[in-house]
């Protein structure tokens, strides 16, 4: 994993945490207002985003995890992208 991966994962982690706390960073449309209160399994989507970015950050920073699970990062990122695509499809449809 590169330092860029860790940087972007850390940036996404803090952005999601800030927005979960009500900061509304980079919210230039009414979409943020519409989905602010949405939750899945009791956690807001911002918290889920922070958890996902945190998992990517963990994989990128811990060499032992990368050595033991060489395909783990690819699988993790693929699952996160599928989840994001499903959420975006939901937003478009509703």
């Amino acid at each position: 994993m590169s330092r860029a991966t860790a940087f972007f994962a850390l940036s996404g982690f803090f952005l999601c945490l800030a927005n979960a706390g009500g900061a509304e960073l980079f919210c230039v449309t009414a979409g943020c207002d519409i989905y602010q209160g949405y939750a899945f399994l009791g956690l807001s989507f911002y918290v889920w985003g922070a958890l996902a970015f945190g998992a990517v950050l963990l994989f990128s920073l811990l060499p032992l995890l990368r050595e033991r699970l060489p395909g783990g990062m690819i699988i993790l990122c693929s699952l996160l992208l599928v989840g994001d695509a499903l959420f975006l499809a939901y937003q478009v449809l509703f």
Side-chain angles (χ1 to χ4, degrees):
M1 290 291 116
S2 68
R3 289 183 179 166
T5 302
F7 172 75
F8 287 116
L10 185 64
S11 299
F13 177 76
F14 282 122
L15 177 68
C16 287
L17 282 183
N19 283 337
E24 295 188 17
L25 300 174
F26 303 112
C27 291
V28 295
T29 66
C32 292
D33 294 333
I34 294 169
Y35 293 103
Q36 179 67 30
Y38 277 48
F40 179 71
L41 298 176
L43 296 175
S44 78
F45 285 115
Y46 289 126
V47 173
W48 282 110
L51 290 172
F53 280 117
V56 171
L57 181 64
L58 185 67
F59 266 94
S60 67
L61 293 178
L62 296 176
L64 183 61
L65 284 176
R66 288 194 312 263
E67 291 171 9
R68 291 183 185 229
L69 300 170
M73 188 65 165
I74 294 170
I75 293 169
L76 174 66
C77 289
S78 297
L79 290 173
L80 294 175
L81 283 172
V82 168
D84 189 37
L86 291 173
F87 181 60
L88 287 173
Y90 174 81
Q91 286 178 321
V92 168
L93 292 174
F94 299 104

